[in-house]
Coordinates of all heavy atoms in Angstrom, one line a residue:
R2 N -70.3 -1.5 -75.1 CA -70.9 -0.2 -74.9 C -71.0 0.4 -76.3 O -70.1 0.5 -77.0 CB -69.9 0.7 -74.0 CG -70.4 2.0 -73.6 CD -69.5 2.9 -72.9 NE -68.4 2.2 -72.1 CZ -68.0 2.5 -71.0 NH1 -68.5 3.6 -70.4 NH2 -67.1 1.9 -70.3
I3 N -72.2 1.0 -76.5 CA -72.6 1.5 -77.8 C -72.5 3.0 -77.8 O -71.9 3.6 -78.8 CB -74.0 1.1 -78.2 CG1 -74.2 -0.4 -78.2 CG2 -74.4 1.7 -79.5 CD1 -73.3 -1.1 -79.2
D4 N -72.9 3.7 -76.8 CA -73.0 5.1 -76.7 C -72.1 5.6 -75.6 O -72.1 5.0 -74.5 CB -74.4 5.5 -76.5 CG -74.7 7.0 -76.7 OD1 -74.3 7.8 -75.7 OD2 -75.2 7.4 -77.7
P5 N -71.4 6.7 -75.7 CA -70.6 7.2 -74.6 C -71.4 7.6 -73.4 O -70.8 7.6 -72.3 CB -70.0 8.5 -75.2 CG -70.1 8.4 -76.7 CD -71.3 7.5 -77.0
A6 N -72.7 7.8 -73.5 CA -73.5 8.1 -72.3 C -73.9 6.8 -71.6 O -74.4 6.9 -70.4 CB -74.8 8.8 -72.8
D7 N -73.7 5.7 -72.1 CA -74.1 4.4 -71.5 C -73.4 4.2 -70.2 O -72.2 4.4 -70.1 CB -73.8 3.2 -72.4 CG -74.6 3.2 -73.6 OD1 -75.6 3.9 -73.8 OD2 -74.3 2.3 -74.5
N8 N -74.1 3.8 -69.1 CA -73.5 3.5 -67.9 C -73.6 2.0 -67.6 O -73.3 1.5 -66.5 CB -74.0 4.3 -66.7 CG -75.5 4.3 -66.5 OD1 -76.2 3.4 -67.1 ND2 -76.0 5.2 -65.7
V9 N -74.1 1.2 -68.6 CA -74.1 -0.2 -68.6 C -73.5 -0.8 -69.9 O -73.6 -0.1 -70.9 CB -75.5 -0.8 -68.4 CG1 -76.1 -0.4 -67.0 CG2 -76.5 -0.5 -69.5
V10 N -73.0 -2.0 -69.9 CA -72.6 -2.7 -71.1 C -73.4 -4.0 -71.1 O -73.8 -4.5 -70.1 CB -71.1 -2.9 -71.1 CG1 -70.3 -1.6 -71.2 CG2 -70.6 -3.7 -69.9
V11 N -73.6 -4.5 -72.3 CA -74.3 -5.7 -72.5 C -73.3 -6.9 -72.8 O -72.5 -6.7 -73.7 CB -75.3 -5.6 -73.7 CG1 -76.1 -6.9 -73.9 CG2 -76.3 -4.4 -73.4
A12 N -73.5 -8.0 -72.2 CA -72.7 -9.1 -72.4 C -73.0 -9.8 -73.7 O -74.2 -10.2 -73.9 CB -72.8 -10.1 -71.2
I13 N -72.1 -9.9 -74.6 CA -72.3 -10.6 -75.9 C -71.9 -12.1 -75.8 O -72.1 -12.8 -76.7 CB -71.6 -9.9 -77.0 CG1 -70.1 -9.8 -76.8 CG2 -72.3 -8.5 -77.3 CD1 -69.4 -9.3 -78.0
E14 N -71.5 -12.5 -74.6 CA -71.2 -13.9 -74.3 C -71.2 -14.0 -72.8 O -71.2 -13.0 -72.1 CB -69.8 -14.3 -74.8 CG -68.7 -13.5 -74.3 CD -67.3 -13.9 -74.9 OE1 -67.3 -14.1 -76.1 OE2 -66.4 -13.9 -74.2
P15 N -71.4 -15.2 -72.2 CA -71.4 -15.3 -70.7 C -70.1 -14.8 -70.2 O -69.1 -15.0 -70.8 CB -71.6 -16.8 -70.5 CG -72.2 -17.3 -71.8 CD -71.6 -16.5 -72.9
I16 N -70.2 -14.1 -69.0 CA -69.0 -13.5 -68.4 C -68.9 -14.2 -67.0 O -69.9 -14.1 -66.2 CB -69.1 -12.0 -68.3 CG1 -69.2 -11.4 -69.7 CG2 -67.9 -11.5 -67.5 CD1 -69.6 -9.9 -69.6
A17 N -67.8 -14.7 -66.7 CA -67.6 -15.3 -65.3 C -67.2 -14.3 -64.3 O -66.5 -13.3 -64.7 CB -66.5 -16.4 -65.4
K18 N -67.6 -14.4 -63.1 CA -67.1 -13.6 -62.0 C -65.6 -13.4 -62.0 O -64.9 -14.3 -62.3 CB -67.6 -14.1 -60.7 CG -67.2 -13.3 -59.5 CD -67.7 -14.0 -58.2 CE -67.2 -13.1 -57.0 NZ -67.6 -13.7 -55.8
D19 N -65.2 -12.2 -61.8 CA -63.8 -11.8 -61.7 C -63.1 -11.7 -63.1 O -61.9 -11.6 -63.2 CB -63.0 -12.7 -60.8 CG -63.4 -12.6 -59.4 OD1 -63.8 -11.5 -58.9 OD2 -63.4 -13.7 -58.7
S20 N -63.9 -11.9 -64.2 CA -63.3 -11.7 -65.5 C -63.2 -10.3 -65.9 O -64.1 -9.5 -65.6 CB -64.1 -12.5 -66.6 OG -64.1 -13.8 -66.3
P21 N -62.1 -9.9 -66.7 CA -62.1 -8.5 -67.2 C -63.1 -8.3 -68.3 O -63.3 -9.2 -69.1 CB -60.7 -8.4 -67.7 CG -60.2 -9.8 -68.0 CD -61.0 -10.7 -67.0
V22 N -63.8 -7.2 -68.3 CA -64.8 -6.9 -69.3 C -64.3 -5.8 -70.2 O -64.4 -5.9 -71.4 CB -66.1 -6.5 -68.6 CG1 -67.2 -6.1 -69.6 CG2 -66.6 -7.6 -67.7
E23 N -63.8 -4.7 -69.7 CA -63.3 -3.6 -70.4 C -62.0 -3.1 -69.6 O -61.8 -3.6 -68.5 CB -64.2 -2.4 -70.4 CG -65.5 -2.5 -71.3 CD -66.3 -1.3 -71.3 OE1 -66.2 -0.4 -70.4 OE2 -67.0 -1.1 -72.3
T24 N -61.3 -2.2 -70.1 CA -60.2 -1.7 -69.4 C -60.7 -1.1 -68.1 O -61.7 -0.4 -68.1 CB -59.5 -0.6 -70.2 OG1 -59.1 -1.1 -71.5 CG2 -58.3 0.0 -69.5
Q25 N -60.2 -1.5 -67.0 CA -60.6 -1.0 -65.7 C -61.9 -1.5 -65.2 O -62.6 -0.9 -64.3 CB -60.6 0.6 -65.7 CG -59.3 1.2 -66.2 CD -58.3 1.4 -65.1 OE1 -58.6 1.6 -63.9 NE2 -57.0 1.4 -65.4
L26 N -62.5 -2.5 -65.8 CA -63.8 -3.1 -65.4 C -63.7 -4.6 -65.3 O -63.3 -5.3 -66.2 CB -64.9 -2.7 -66.4 CG -66.3 -3.2 -66.0 CD1 -66.8 -2.6 -64.7 CD2 -67.2 -2.8 -67.2
T27 N -64.1 -5.1 -64.1 CA -64.1 -6.6 -63.9 C -65.5 -6.9 -63.4 O -66.1 -6.2 -62.6 CB -63.1 -6.9 -62.8 OG1 -61.8 -6.5 -63.2 CG2 -63.1 -8.4 -62.5
A28 N -66.0 -8.1 -63.9 CA -67.3 -8.5 -63.5 C -67.3 -8.9 -62.0 O -66.4 -9.7 -61.6 CB -67.8 -9.7 -64.3
L29 N -68.2 -8.5 -61.2 CA -68.3 -8.8 -59.8 C -69.1 -10.1 -59.5 O -69.1 -10.6 -58.4 CB -68.9 -7.6 -59.0 CG -68.2 -6.3 -59.1 CD1 -68.9 -5.3 -58.2 CD2 -66.7 -6.5 -58.6
E30 N -69.8 -10.5 -60.6 CA -70.6 -11.8 -60.4 C -70.7 -12.4 -61.8 O -70.4 -11.7 -62.8 CB -71.9 -11.5 -59.8 CG -72.7 -10.4 -60.5 CD -73.8 -9.8 -59.6 OE1 -74.7 -10.6 -59.3 OE2 -73.8 -8.6 -59.3
D31 N -71.2 -13.6 -61.9 CA -71.4 -14.2 -63.2 C -72.5 -13.4 -63.9 O -73.6 -13.1 -63.3 CB -71.9 -15.7 -63.1 CG -70.8 -16.6 -62.6 OD1 -69.6 -16.2 -62.7 OD2 -71.1 -17.6 -62.0
I32 N -72.3 -13.2 -65.2 CA -73.3 -12.4 -66.0 C -73.7 -13.3 -67.2 O -72.9 -13.8 -68.0 CB -72.7 -11.1 -66.6 CG1 -72.1 -10.2 -65.4 CG2 -73.8 -10.3 -67.4 CD1 -73.0 -9.7 -64.4
T33 N -75.0 -13.5 -67.3 CA -75.6 -14.3 -68.4 C -75.5 -13.5 -69.7 O -75.6 -12.3 -69.7 CB -77.1 -14.6 -68.1 OG1 -77.2 -15.2 -66.8 CG2 -77.7 -15.5 -69.2
I34 N -75.4 -14.2 -70.8 CA -75.3 -13.6 -72.1 C -76.5 -12.7 -72.3 O -77.6 -13.0 -71.9 CB -75.2 -14.6 -73.3 CG1 -75.0 -13.9 -74.6 CG2 -76.4 -15.5 -73.3 CD1 -74.6 -14.9 -75.7
Y35 N -76.3 -11.5 -72.9 CA -77.3 -10.5 -73.2 C -77.8 -9.7 -72.0 O -78.7 -8.9 -72.1 CB -78.5 -11.0 -74.0 CG -78.0 -11.7 -75.3 CD1 -78.5 -13.0 -75.6 CD2 -77.2 -11.1 -76.2 CE1 -78.1 -13.6 -76.8 CE2 -76.7 -11.7 -77.3 CZ -77.2 -13.0 -77.6 OH -76.8 -13.6 -78.8
H36 N -77.3 -10.0 -70.8 CA -77.6 -9.2 -69.6 C -76.7 -8.1 -69.5 O -75.6 -8.0 -70.2 CB -77.6 -10.1 -68.4 CG -78.9 -10.9 -68.2 ND1 -79.6 -10.9 -67.1 CD2 -79.5 -11.7 -69.1 CE1 -80.7 -11.7 -67.3 NE2 -80.6 -12.2 -68.5
K37 N -77.0 -7.1 -68.6 CA -76.2 -5.9 -68.5 C -75.4 -5.9 -67.2 O -75.7 -6.6 -66.3 CB -77.1 -4.7 -68.4 CG -78.0 -4.5 -69.7 CD -79.1 -3.5 -69.5 CE -80.1 -3.8 -68.5 NZ -80.9 -5.1 -68.7
L38 N -74.2 -5.2 -67.3 CA -73.5 -4.9 -66.0 C -73.1 -3.5 -66.1 O -73.0 -2.9 -67.1 CB -72.3 -5.9 -65.9 CG -71.2 -5.8 -66.8 CD1 -69.9 -6.2 -66.1 CD2 -71.4 -6.7 -68.0
A39 N -73.0 -2.9 -64.9 CA -72.6 -1.5 -64.7 C -71.2 -1.3 -65.2 O -70.3 -2.0 -64.7 CB -72.9 -1.0 -63.3
C40 N -70.9 -0.3 -66.0 CA -69.6 0.0 -66.4 C -69.0 1.1 -65.5 O -67.8 1.5 -65.6 CB -69.4 0.4 -67.8 SG -70.5 1.6 -68.5
R41 N -69.8 1.7 -64.6 CA -69.3 2.6 -63.5 C -70.3 2.5 -62.4 O -71.4 1.9 -62.6 CB -69.2 4.0 -64.1 CG -70.5 4.6 -64.5 CD -70.4 6.1 -64.8 NE -71.6 6.8 -65.2 CZ -72.6 7.1 -64.4 NH1 -72.5 6.8 -63.1 NH2 -73.7 7.7 -64.9
D42 N -70.0 3.1 -61.3 CA -70.9 3.1 -60.1 C -72.2 3.9 -60.6 O -72.0 5.0 -61.2 CB -70.3 3.7 -58.9 CG -69.2 2.8 -58.3 OD1 -69.2 1.6 -58.6 OD2 -68.4 3.3 -57.5
I43 N -73.3 3.4 -60.2 CA -74.6 4.1 -60.5 C -75.3 4.3 -59.2 O -75.7 3.3 -58.6 CB -75.5 3.2 -61.5 CG1 -74.7 2.9 -62.7 CG2 -76.8 4.0 -61.8 CD1 -75.5 1.9 -63.6
P44 N -75.4 5.5 -58.7 CA -76.1 5.8 -57.5 C -77.6 5.5 -57.5 O -78.2 5.6 -58.6 CB -75.8 7.3 -57.2 CG -74.7 7.7 -58.2 CD -74.8 6.7 -59.3
Q45 N -78.1 5.2 -56.4 CA -79.6 5.0 -56.3 C -80.3 6.2 -56.8 O -80.0 7.3 -56.6 CB -80.0 4.8 -54.8 CG -81.5 4.5 -54.6 CD -81.8 4.2 -53.2 OE1 -81.0 4.1 -52.3 NE2 -83.1 4.0 -52.9
G46 N -81.3 5.9 -57.7 CA -82.1 7.0 -58.3 C -81.6 7.5 -59.6 O -82.3 8.2 -60.3
E47 N -80.4 7.2 -59.9 CA -79.8 7.7 -61.2 C -80.4 6.9 -62.4 O -80.6 5.7 -62.3 CB -78.3 7.6 -61.2 CG -77.6 8.1 -62.4 CD -76.1 8.2 -62.3 OE1 -75.6 8.8 -61.4 OE2 -75.5 7.6 -63.2
P48 N -80.6 7.5 -63.5 CA -81.0 6.8 -64.7 C -80.0 5.7 -65.1 O -78.8 5.9 -65.0 CB -81.1 7.9 -65.8 CG -81.3 9.2 -65.0 CD -80.5 9.0 -63.7
V49 N -80.5 4.6 -65.6 CA -79.7 3.6 -66.2 C -79.8 3.8 -67.7 O -80.9 3.9 -68.3 CB -80.2 2.2 -65.8 CG1 -79.4 1.1 -66.6 CG2 -80.1 2.0 -64.3
V50 N -78.6 3.9 -68.4 CA -78.6 4.3 -69.8 C -77.9 3.1 -70.6 O -76.8 2.7 -70.3 CB -77.8 5.6 -70.0 CG1 -77.8 6.0 -71.5 CG2 -78.4 6.7 -69.2
K51 N -78.7 2.6 -71.6 CA -78.2 1.6 -72.5 C -78.5 2.0 -73.9 O -79.6 2.4 -74.2 CB -79.0 0.3 -72.2 CG -78.7 -0.9 -73.1 CD -79.4 -2.1 -72.6 CE -80.3 -2.6 -73.8 NZ -81.0 -3.8 -73.4
Y52 N -77.5 1.9 -74.7 CA -77.6 2.3 -76.2 C -78.0 3.8 -76.3 O -78.8 4.1 -77.2 CB -78.6 1.4 -76.9 CG -78.3 -0.1 -76.9 CD1 -79.3 -1.0 -77.0 CD2 -77.0 -0.6 -76.8 CE1 -79.1 -2.4 -76.9 CE2 -76.7 -1.9 -76.7 CZ -77.8 -2.8 -76.8 OH -77.5 -4.2 -76.8
G53 N -77.6 4.6 -75.3 CA -77.9 6.0 -75.3 C -79.3 6.3 -74.9 O -79.7 7.5 -74.9
Q54 N -80.1 5.3 -74.4 CA -81.5 5.5 -74.0 C -81.6 5.2 -72.5 O -81.1 4.3 -72.0 CB -82.4 4.5 -74.8 CG -82.3 4.7 -76.3 CD -82.9 6.0 -76.7 OE1 -83.9 6.5 -76.3 NE2 -82.1 6.7 -77.6
H55 N -82.4 6.1 -71.9 CA -82.8 5.9 -70.4 C -83.8 4.8 -70.3 O -84.9 4.9 -70.8 CB -83.3 7.2 -69.9 CG -83.8 7.2 -68.5 ND1 -84.6 8.2 -68.0 CD2 -83.6 6.4 -67.5 CE1 -84.9 8.0 -66.8 NE2 -84.3 6.9 -66.4
I56 N -83.3 3.7 -69.7 CA -84.2 2.5 -69.7 C -84.8 2.2 -68.3 O -85.6 1.3 -68.1 CB -83.4 1.2 -70.1 CG1 -82.3 0.9 -69.2 CG2 -83.0 1.3 -71.6 CD1 -81.7 -0.5 -69.3
G57 N -84.5 3.1 -67.3 CA -85.0 2.9 -66.0 C -84.1 3.6 -65.0 O -83.3 4.4 -65.4
S58 N -84.4 3.4 -63.7 CA -83.7 4.1 -62.6 C -83.2 3.0 -61.7 O -83.9 2.0 -61.4 CB -84.5 5.1 -61.9 OG -85.0 6.1 -62.8
A59 N -82.0 3.3 -61.1 CA -81.4 2.4 -60.1 C -82.2 2.5 -58.8 O -82.4 3.5 -58.3 CB -80.0 2.7 -59.9
V60 N -82.7 1.3 -58.4 CA -83.5 1.3 -57.1 C -82.6 1.2 -55.9 O -83.1 1.3 -54.8 CB -84.6 0.2 -57.1 CG1 -85.6 0.5 -58.2 CG2 -84.1 -1.1 -57.3
T61 N -81.4 0.9 -56.1 CA -80.3 0.8 -55.1 C -79.0 1.2 -55.8 O -78.9 1.2 -57.0 CB -80.3 -0.7 -54.6 OG1 -79.4 -0.7 -53.5 CG2 -79.9 -1.7 -55.6
A62 N -78.0 1.5 -55.0 CA -76.7 1.8 -55.6 C -76.2 0.5 -56.3 O -76.3 -0.6 -55.7 CB -75.7 2.2 -54.5
I63 N -75.6 0.7 -57.5 CA -75.1 -0.4 -58.3 C -73.6 -0.1 -58.5 O -73.2 0.9 -59.0 CB -75.8 -0.5 -59.6 CG1 -77.3 -0.7 -59.4 CG2 -75.3 -1.7 -60.4 CD1 -78.1 -0.5 -60.7
R64 N -72.8 -1.1 -58.1 CA -71.3 -1.0 -58.2 C -70.9 -1.3 -59.7 O -71.5 -2.2 -60.3 CB -70.6 -1.9 -57.2 CG -70.8 -1.4 -55.8 CD -70.2 -2.4 -54.8 NE -68.9 -2.8 -55.1 CZ -68.4 -4.0 -54.8 NH1 -69.1 -4.9 -54.2 NH2 -67.1 -4.3 -55.1
A65 N -69.8 -0.7 -60.1 CA -69.2 -1.0 -61.4 C -68.9 -2.5 -61.4 O -68.3 -3.0 -60.5 CB -67.9 -0.2 -61.6
G66 N -69.3 -3.2 -62.5 CA -69.1 -4.6 -62.6 C -70.2 -5.5 -62.1 O -70.2 -6.7 -62.3
Q67 N -71.2 -4.9 -61.5 CA -72.4 -5.6 -60.9 C -73.4 -5.8 -62.0 O -73.7 -5.0 -62.8 CB -72.9 -4.8 -59.7 CG -73.9 -5.5 -58.9 CD -74.4 -4.7 -57.7 OE1 -74.0 -3.6 -57.5 NE2 -75.1 -5.3 -56.8
H68 N -74.1 -7.0 -61.8 CA -75.3 -7.3 -62.7 C -76.4 -6.2 -62.6 O -76.7 -5.8 -61.5 CB -75.8 -8.7 -62.3 CG -76.8 -9.2 -63.2 ND1 -77.8 -10.1 -62.8 CD2 -77.1 -9.1 -64.6 CE1 -78.6 -10.4 -63.8 NE2 -78.2 -9.8 -64.9
V69 N -76.9 -5.8 -63.7 CA -77.9 -4.8 -63.8 C -79.2 -5.5 -64.4 O -79.1 -5.9 -65.5 CB -77.5 -3.5 -64.6 CG1 -78.7 -2.5 -64.7 CG2 -76.3 -2.9 -64.0
H70 N -80.2 -5.6 -63.6 CA -81.4 -6.3 -64.1 C -82.6 -5.9 -63.2 O -82.5 -4.9 -62.5 CB -81.2 -7.8 -64.0 CG -82.1 -8.7 -64.8 ND1 -82.3 -8.4 -66.2 CD2 -82.8 -9.7 -64.6 CE1 -83.1 -9.3 -66.7 NE2 -83.5 -10.1 -65.7
V71 N -83.7 -6.6 -63.3 CA -84.9 -6.2 -62.6 C -84.8 -6.1 -61.1 O -85.6 -5.5 -60.4 CB -86.1 -7.2 -62.9 CG1 -86.4 -7.1 -64.4 CG2 -85.8 -8.6 -62.5
H72 N -83.8 -6.8 -60.5 CA -83.6 -6.7 -59.0 C -83.1 -5.4 -58.5 O -83.1 -5.1 -57.4 CB -82.7 -7.9 -58.6 CG -81.3 -7.8 -59.0 ND1 -81.0 -8.1 -60.3 CD2 -80.2 -7.4 -58.4 CE1 -79.7 -7.9 -60.5 NE2 -79.2 -7.5 -59.3
N73 N -82.5 -4.6 -59.4 CA -81.9 -3.3 -59.0 C -82.2 -2.1 -59.9 O -81.7 -1.1 -59.8 CB -80.4 -3.4 -58.8 CG -79.6 -4.0 -60.0 OD1 -80.1 -4.1 -61.1 ND2 -78.4 -4.3 -59.8
V74 N -83.1 -2.4 -60.9 CA -83.6 -1.3 -61.8 C -85.1 -1.3 -61.9 O -85.7 -2.3 -62.0 CB -83.0 -1.5 -63.2 CG1 -83.5 -0.4 -64.2 CG2 -81.5 -1.4 -63.2
E75 N -85.6 -0.1 -61.8 CA -87.1 0.1 -62.0 C -87.2 0.6 -63.4 O -86.7 1.7 -63.8 CB -87.7 1.1 -61.0 CG -89.1 1.3 -61.2 CD -89.6 2.3 -60.2 OE1 -89.3 3.5 -60.3 OE2 -90.3 1.9 -59.2
S76 N -87.9 -0.2 -64.3 CA -88.1 0.2 -65.6 C -89.2 1.3 -65.8 O -90.0 1.4 -64.9 CB -88.6 -1.0 -66.5 OG -87.6 -2.0 -66.5
H77 N -89.0 2.0 -66.9 CA -90.0 3.1 -67.2 C -90.9 2.5 -68.3 O -90.4 2.3 -69.4 CB -89.3 4.4 -67.6 CG -88.6 5.0 -66.5 ND1 -89.2 5.6 -65.5 CD2 -87.2 5.0 -66.2 CE1 -88.2 6.1 -64.6 NE2 -87.1 5.7 -65.1
S78 N -92.1 2.3 -68.0 CA -93.1 1.7 -69.0 C -93.4 2.8 -70.1 O -93.6 3.9 -69.8 CB -94.4 1.3 -68.3 OG -95.3 0.8 -69.3
T79 N -93.5 2.3 -71.3 CA -93.8 3.2 -72.4 C -95.3 3.0 -72.8 O -95.8 3.6 -73.7 CB -93.0 2.9 -73.6 OG1 -93.1 1.6 -74.0 CG2 -91.5 3.3 -73.4
N80 N -96.0 2.1 -72.0 CA -97.4 1.9 -72.3 C -98.2 3.0 -71.7 O -98.0 3.5 -70.6 CB -97.9 0.5 -71.6 CG -97.2 -0.6 -72.2 OD1 -96.7 -0.6 -73.4 ND2 -97.0 -1.7 -71.4
V81 N -99.2 3.4 -72.4 CA -100.1 4.5 -72.0 C -101.5 4.0 -71.7 O -102.0 3.1 -72.4 CB -100.2 5.6 -73.0 CG1 -101.1 6.7 -72.6 CG2 -98.8 6.1 -73.3

């Protein structure tokens, strides 16, 4: 976690399901290196924040420890 506003953390190495990630956070599934997992529950429609930046919105409720990727986040395109 880089910024206190972040609601996701980035795996800097592969993380196996049920492994501790941070204090009070356990991976709910295997996480590939450089992928994200929720560091707290993220309700559907809430912004997903990585490195202090809003990178998209949760399209479904995401549980703390769950993989965060294209299957549960709608990205906000910066293309005009």
Side-chain angles (χ1 to χ4, degrees):
R2 188 184 333 218
I3 301 298
D4 189 285
D7 292 351
N8 55 12
V9 298
V10 295
V11 178
I13 58 172
E14 58 187 41
I16 302 171
K18 180 181 178 180
D19 297 325
S20 295
V22 179
E23 290 186 336
T24 304
Q25 309 272 331
L26 180 63
T27 301
L29 298 180
E30 53 197 299
D31 292 337
I32 307 294
T33 304
I34 188 169
Y35 306 128
H36 279 233
K37 300 169 295 300
L38 65 151
C40 54
R41 65 170 179 77
D42 290 343
I43 304 172
Q45 182 177 354
E47 182 173 304
V49 174
V50 181
K51 176 178 120 178
Y52 305 149
Q54 301 295 312
H55 176 197
I56 62 167
S58 297
V60 296
T61 186
I63 304 170
R64 294 175 45 212
Q67 190 174 5
H68 187 210
V69 177
H70 201 51
V71 297
H72 66 285
N73 53 13
V74 175
E75 179 179 73
S76 296
H77 294 284
S78 175
T79 57
N80 296 333
V81 177

